[in-house]
Amino acid sequence: SAPAAISTTNFIDADLKKLGFANIAREYFSAGTKDFSALLTKAKQIQPKVIFCGCYNIEGGLIVRSARASGVTQPFVSWDVFNTPEVWEITGPAGNGTVFVSDPPFEGIPSAKGLVTSLTAEKAQPQTYHFYTYASFQVLQQAVKAAQSLDPQKVADAIRKGRFDTAIGDISYSQNGDLKEAKYELYIRKDNQTVPLKE
């Protein structure tokens, strides 16, 4: 039979099917959930090849830690929400082997130097979301200036048409609002460190 997978989000299902995962069990939970015993019982029953966790960082850390403590050994795969220290503080060594996709580190690019300096001065560890949030305000400021208006439609049009100088580099957006030229990479938690996943 085709391999099984567990997914906690809808849109990943089509991609899993393209990879040959015909049997996909979908599970849901609310933010703030702390008891994942039902999900883990299901994992033990169906023995999936992989568990995709589309969740917030706290719940993600709790799921991984609970899974390993209960004997669930299948690999976890997730997105950039796992690129936060909170996840690994919760999982400890149980997080080793978790794979996730995220942006490359923004800390080292010249356009981010000012933001990194400001965050460090406030004793804040720079995280991906800091850079995206700051860049969002930079885009908004530049789009308002280009549109010469605060009208939401005019600003949105300026965002779709423009290129913007931001802390994460020179960026632009597609008509549906997706960031063009995103440079996502795969990472794995190994020896209690996050490192690029080498093929």
Side-chain angles (χ1 to χ4, degrees):
S1 68
I6 289 181
S7 170
T8 59
T9 190
N10 284 337
F11 68 84
I12 199 70
D13 291 8
D15 290 331
L16 285 169
K17 286 177 182 174
K18 286 178 189 174
L19 293 170
F21 293 91
N23 304 315
I24 301 169
R26 192 180 307 148
E27 294 293 320
Y28 302 96
F29 54 85
S30 301
T33 298
K34 291 183 171 57
D35 181 4
F36 299 98
S37 55
L39 186 148
L40 299 176
T41 297
K42 189 164 197 175
K44 289 178 181 178
Q45 290 171 345
I46 68 172
Q47 291 295 305
K49 296 286 185 186
V50 66
I51 300 172
F52 177 82
C53 187
C55 54
Y56 296 113
N57 51 2
I58 302 301
E59 290 79 9
L62 290 171
I63 289 172
V64 172
R65 185 178 72 189
S66 300
R68 299 307 182 233
S70 67
V72 174
T73 59
Q74 286 83 358
F76 277 87
V77 177
S78 192
W79 45 36
D80 61 354
V81 76
F82 271 57
N83 198 9
T84 58
E86 292 86 0
V87 172
W88 313 120
E89 288 168 10
I90 293 169
T91 66
N96 288 327
T98 301
V99 174
F100 62 92
V101 63
S102 187
D103 300 276
F106 291 125
E107 292 91 325
I109 63 175
S111 57
K113 185 177 180 181
L115 179 57
V116 171
T117 300
S118 296
L119 289 169
T120 304
E122 295 294 325
K123 298 187 177 16
Q125 180 181 352
Q127 296 183 36
T128 302
Y129 299 110
H130 291 131
F131 296 99
Y132 273 121
T133 301
Y134 193 77
S136 297
F137 281 104
Q138 291 177 305
V139 168
L140 182 59
Q141 179 189 36
Q142 293 170 53
V144 167
K145 186 175 180 181
Q148 297 183 342
S149 173
L150 291 175
D151 178 86
Q153 188 58 54
K154 290 179 180 177
V155 173
D157 288 342
I159 290 173
R160 289 188 190 95
K161 294 174 184 172
R163 290 196 70 83
F164 304 95
D165 183 25
T166 74
I168 61 173
D170 186 45
I171 61 174
S172 62
Y173 296 87
S174 64
Q175 286 301 306
N176 68 358
D178 287 338
L179 185 64
K180 290 182 181 177
E181 303 151 7
K183 298 176 175 69
Y184 296 114
E185 295 179 7
L186 278 172
Y187 294 88
I188 188 168
R189 192 71 176 171
K190 186 176 182 182
D191 298 325
N192 301 321
Q193 299 290 322
T194 297
V195 297
L197 180 62
K198 306 292 186 186
E199 290 191 30

